[in-house]
Amino acid sequence: MRISIKLKTSVFLAALLLLTVVVISLLVLRGIQNNQRTQVEQLLAQQASMANTYLLQSLTAESNKVPETFIASKGADFGKKLEDISGLTVELYDADGKAIYKNKSGVVSEGIGQTLAYALKQKTAYLIEDDSLYYLTPLKVANEQVGVVQFYYDLAANDAFYHEIRQLFVYIGAGTFLLSFILAYFYFNALSGSIIKLNRTVNRIREGSYETAGMKRRDEIGELGEGIRMMSERIRQTIRDKDDEREKLKLAVDKLSKLDQQQKEFIGNVTHEFKTPLTSIKAYLDLMDMYPDDEALLETAKTNIAGDTQRLYEMVEKVLRLSALEKYDFEFSKEKVDVRQTIESVLGSLQGKIDKFGLRLETNLAQASADADRDSLTIVLMNLLDNAIKYNKPKGSIRVSCAERDGQVVIEIADTGIGIPQAVVHKIFEPFYTVDKNRSRENGGAGLGLALAKKYAEMQGGSIALLRSDAEGTTFSVAYPAWGSGESL
């Protein structure tokens, strides 16, 4: 059974205060008793000395200076005068213990008789009976005992004073105890409350709740509370960091899994794309071996083998370039590039291919300068324009425009081609993905152009996006930081 620290503190405090009050009261009362006894003893001792002095003075004034004769003949007068001088009740006995003054009957109590016998041996003694004190001391002349004088002292006044003081101590002690207990209770209650609060805080931390409040105390408990609060914050931060690291690790594992899957798909796609032209080349070689004299076959085979070889070469080049971009962090030679001039240069190199497919070219090129790598921008434009040519409709058109707006140079390339279904729009920038597999093979496409273009654009701080795709064709947008806009890679 667990006992609260408040209860323990209260009980201990009450016991400690009660013990303190009782001990102090007993010690003080004992001191009062001892002081009263000492004062009475001193008073009676003075009276005894005075009695002996007065006896000598009385003998000096007498013609008969025999002490025994004086005590026997004038003892009653001596005792009365001694009573007047001392202010105390006096009884006088001779050397044989016979009563001379006051108690002439000679009847004494057993206690007084024993005390008298002791005093007759030249020793001072006293006896206390109820509220009365009987002090018996020898009367001496020249060290010879001639009798005993007894002083009676009433202790009622002393006892009354003692009882009054004791009663006062009871009241004062009780009041002091209650007041001290109440004040100390509130103080120790606050102290215990702080300890209980710390205990609850520790229990919450144990249960996983790290929200703690500071304690407004400027002592060791306050320092302990602040230490627990800081420890709680440290634990919470450590757990938060651990959760962040675990989340990062999970993301890294997911990314590795995704990269592993992409790598497998990449290898599979490479193998598949390479296999098609190689199969065609092998087939034509077999036919050439079978019909070495067929000139038409030889001419057709040479043309197709050359086309497939060129396709393989282009695929290998693009695969190596894409792999290098993903593996290495290249430093591009960014400079002020005249975008209009670069577009015109790329269109000039593709003009023969445009004419071959009978396409109409429309341009709207504003003067603009981009902060980019000239060769990389050329690769991006070549891939986008090449796709616009290969996947266009017969007698279709290509529209190219560029303009500078909002700190960027925006290039738009639109065609009237086959379009891209909305269901696969999110895949068009993946390597080896093509919308129309048959047409890609016919035109030598392997689905690497858009992936390369996206990599080159983003690595220079640019972006590429599909703006429109429907039955009327597609529109791609390329954006690069304008020269002097303050943006850089």
Side-chain angles (χ1 to χ4, degrees), residues 14 173 268 274 290 295 328-329 410:
F274 280 17
M290 293 173 61
E295 295 294 333
Y328 303 105
D329 186 14
V410 181

Side-chain angles (χ1 to χ4, degrees), residues 198 220-233:
L198 289 177
E220 288 78 1
I221 293 181
E223 293 178 359
L224 178 61
E226 182 64 18
I228 291 177
R229 188 188 68 80
M230 294 179 65
M231 179 186 68
S232 176
E233 289 294 330

Side-chain angles (χ1 to χ4, degrees), residues 317-330:
E317 184 180 16
K318 287 184 177 180
V319 167
L320 291 176
R321 190 178 297 169
L322 184 62
S323 177
L325 286 176
E326 291 179 346
K327 187 174 182 180
Y328 303 105
D329 186 14
F330 289 97

Side-chain angles (χ1 to χ4, degrees), residues 357 359 387-394 416-419 434-445:
F357 286 93
L359 302 176
N387 283 348
I389 295 170
K390 290 190 295 186
Y391 297 104
N392 215 321
K393 295 178 181 178
T416 56
I418 59 176
T434 56
V435 177
D436 189 335
K437 298 290 184 181
N438 294 327
R439 189 162 184 177
S440 296
R441 293 190 182 97
E442 291 174 3
N443 298 322

Side-chain angles (χ1 to χ4, degrees), residues 38 68 137 163 197 276 310 318 346 350 396 422 461:
T38 301
E68 290 80 1
T137 185
H163 290 301
K197 184 178 179 181
T276 301
Q310 181 62 29
K318 287 184 177 180
V346 173
L350 293 173
Q422 290 297 321

Side-chain angles (χ1 to χ4, degrees), residues 302-316:
K302 287 167 57 179
T303 301
N304 288 325
I305 288 173
D308 289 333
T309 302
Q310 181 62 29
R311 182 183 174 193
L312 281 173
Y313 177 80
E314 291 177 358
M315 279 196 295
V316 169

